[in-house]
Amino acid sequence: MEFKFSMPTEIYFGKDVVLKNKEAFSAIGSKALIVTGRNSSKKNGSYDDVTKALSQTGVDYVLFDEVEENPSLETIEKGSDIGKRNHVDFVIGIGGGSPMDAAKAMAVFIKNPGINKENIFSAGKLESLPVVTVPTTSGTGSEVTQYSIVTSNKEKTKKNLGQRIFPKFAFIDSKYTFYIPYNITVSTAIDAFTHLVEGYLNTNSTYMSDIYGEKGFELFKYCFEKLVSKDLNQEFRNKIMMASVLGGIQIAQNGTSLPHGMGYPLTYFKGLPHGLANGVLTIEYLKSFKDQSKINRMLNLLGLSRLEELEDILNKLIDVKIDISEEEINEYSNKFFINKDKLKNHPEEVGFEDIVRIYSKSLLK
Ligand code: NAP
Ligand code: FE
């Protein structure tokens, strides 16, 4: 047995972890750039907890609260400029994956003043300011991953920034997620599920990473029941948050694979939320495996006996009708097929025709 496993982010999970561990903020800096989306963090208590913790420990801060969903490099430059002008020495991302990923990217841009949206992808390995994450959705796992997924309008796609930006601390408190609307709860939960699936059925998977995947599937047995019955109590919120963290730890080791890579154009061109973009492709992706043995193990942990039962659950949760042509599918498949990073994470040989088939069977119904 041989593997590498690295989780440098210090993880605090539970009720009120931000205030209980407020000294962590003053230990890493004296002035923070807080990065959030436009509204939710001010309503769900996360922004209040963080600013209280900073005030109580004498840490100064400035706020950038303009991060949109699927954050663009333009927004990242804008937030970085505020950070640079205010001489911040660390960055706190509060929110869903979009503000957390934007915070990580800003931490790189602020630390490296010569970096901008034109040269970031050819810059090589860069240092970043320390980052703290406070997730308020249960989906991306970004609080514990090194990835920052950004929108490049120049390349008309979403892509990984290409830097390893593991947060220094992740403060994970499911109370911030109690009032997420049902549709966002579903799309983010499906993102977490697809991380577990793609990290588990992955060329890079190991005995160690499988532990996270398999625990995650056990949690999803309960979470899928609650999602389908729309019974989103606090126990559900806690478990789905844990499943999301486990998925994040697993993809931090292994990466994602086909559905994530293939889902990006569905978000960029068709406006599909990230989780649904992966989720809508998941069943056909699973069916495409020649070796179904690990999929059967996953189904067993989910309390299911056949793939069709999982299909039934996802069909109940995902109601997506997108207008897409065969030409567009060919175009997306071409673009994806050049992306060797995702293809090499898929443990079986796939051809261009397989990619077209997964898109077509999933979307041309
Ligand atoms: P998001 O884009 O961060 O947020 C989606 C929506 O949810 C926003 O309208 C946001 O409002 C709202 N929201 C957030 N927290 C809420 C709460 N507690 N209550 C009510 N509404 C809330 O969604 P996401 O799915 O978490 O993140 C998606 C992004 O993460 C994508 O760009 C995706 O590519 C990326 N991602 C990253 C990784 C990684 O490892 N880095 C992994 C998977 C996905 P506000 O704007 O007002 O806050
Ligand atoms: Fe994802």
Side-chain angles (χ1 to χ4, degrees):
M1 198 186 293
E2 193 181 329
F3 62 79
K4 174 176 179 242
F5 189 93
S6 169
M7 183 31 64
T9 300
E10 214 167 288
I11 300 168
Y12 295 83
F13 188 101
K15 195 169 180 311
D16 301 326
V17 283
V18 168
L19 284 162
K20 283 180 184 159
N21 300 285
K22 58 186 181 218
E23 291 75 21
F25 293 102
S26 50
I28 55 170
S30 56
K31 187 161 188 180
L33 174 66
I34 301 181
V35 180
T36 71
R38 295 207 172 87
N39 299 302
S40 67
S41 66
K42 288 171 203 114
K43 294 183 187 154
N44 61 35
S46 53
Y47 178 73
D48 282 350
D49 278 358
V50 168
T51 51
K52 208 184 280 175
L54 296 177
S55 304
Q56 288 176 4
T57 52
V59 178
D60 203 359
Y61 60 88
V62 279
L63 171 65
F64 180 76
D65 61 358
E66 294 173 38
V67 179
E68 74 279 38
E69 292 181 35
N70 309 298
S72 66
L73 285 167
E74 287 77 12
T75 298
I76 287 158
E77 277 195 350
K78 196 170 172 193
S80 307
D81 288 344
I82 291 174
K84 285 178 203 162
R85 274 205 304 278
N86 286 279
H87 305 288
V88 303
D89 51 15
F90 70 113
V91 184
I92 306 171
I94 309 174
S98 299
M100 288 191 287
D101 284 4
K104 292 178 192 172
M106 289 177 203
V108 171
F109 279 46
I110 297 168
K111 178 82 178 178
N112 303 275
I115 290 297
N116 55 48
K117 66 179 182 339
E118 305 302 331
N119 63 13
I120 177 66
F121 296 117
S122 55
K125 191 176 176 302
L126 298 167
E127 303 264 293
S128 80
L129 292 184
V131 175
V132 177
T133 46
V134 182
T136 68
T137 60
S138 298
T140 70
S142 177
E143 64 276 8
V144 293
T145 73
Q146 66 276 47
Y147 310 121
S148 164
I149 310 297
V150 300
T151 296
S152 164
N153 287 315
K154 189 174 169 194
E155 295 178 54
K156 293 198 179 337
T157 190
K158 292 179 63 176
K159 61 191 287 195
N160 187 0
L161 196 71
Q163 301 293 332
R164 281 172 67 82
I165 319 147
F166 273 109
K168 186 110 183 79
F169 300 108
F171 292 116
I172 305 162
D173 186 340
S174 68
K175 76 178 179 190
Y176 305 135
T177 68
F178 286 172
Y179 303 104
I180 302 181
Y182 183 70
N183 63 333
I184 299 178
T185 304
V186 167
S187 63
T188 49
I190 290 176
D191 187 26
F193 181 64
T194 55
H195 295 159
L196 291 164
V197 173
E198 292 172 47
Y200 189 62
L201 305 171
N202 194 299
T203 315
N204 306 315
S205 73
T206 64
Y207 182 88
M208 187 72 170
S209 70
D210 281 358
I211 294 171
Y212 291 82
E214 290 177 1
K215 275 283 166 205
F217 297 133
E218 276 175 25
L219 289 168
F220 255 97
K221 180 179 183 213
Y222 171 92
C223 292
F224 273 144
E225 276 171 26
K226 294 288 175 184
L227 281 166
V228 168
S229 61
K230 302 192 177 176
D231 178 15
L232 308 182
N233 57 18
Q234 293 187 9
E235 188 182 353
F236 163 81
R237 295 290 183 190
N238 223 15
K239 286 190 167 155
I240 194 76
M241 185 59 104
M242 182 53 92
S244 168
V245 175
L246 295 177
I249 295 174
Q250 195 189 220
I251 60 166
Q253 316 305 316
N254 300 348
T256 54
S257 75
L258 305 189
H260 263 71
M262 295 171 66
Y264 290 153
L266 301 181
T267 299
Y268 190 86
F269 293 107
K270 302 292 177 185
L272 221 54
H274 171 68
L276 300 188
N278 313 324
V280 77
L281 302 166
T282 293
I283 290 297
E284 293 303 329
Y285 149 77
L286 290 172
K287 285 183 185 165
S288 79
F289 276 80
K290 289 172 200 80
D291 178 357
Q292 292 276 322
S293 53
K294 224 172 163 188
I295 294 175
N296 288 333
R297 169 133 190 82
M298 170 187 92
L299 291 172
N300 187 38
L301 293 165
L302 289 167
L304 307 172
S305 48
R306 291 161 49 245
L307 191 49
E308 287 70 22
E309 291 170 19
L310 179 61
E311 184 169 16
D312 189 45
I313 292 172
L314 292 180
N315 282 341
K316 282 186 179 134
L317 297 177
I318 303 176
D319 182 19
V320 165
K321 284 180 194 54
I322 55 173
D323 194 13
I324 190 165
S325 65
E326 285 182 25
E327 290 77 60
E328 285 171 311
I329 287 181
N330 264 307
E331 202 182 298
Y332 299 174
S333 303
N334 263 318
K335 222 171 173 177
F336 174 74
F337 209 65
I338 305 166
N339 182 354
K340 299 295 176 216
D341 278 359
K342 297 287 181 209
L343 282 174
K344 74 175 165 34
N345 289 350
H346 185 62
E348 297 185 354
E349 194 79 38
V350 277
F352 178 74
E353 289 310 319
D354 299 310
I355 301 301
V356 173
R357 191 176 325 108
I358 294 173
Y359 271 128
S360 303
K361 287 194 157 184
S362 306
L363 303 173
L364 297 175
K365 283 181 179 161

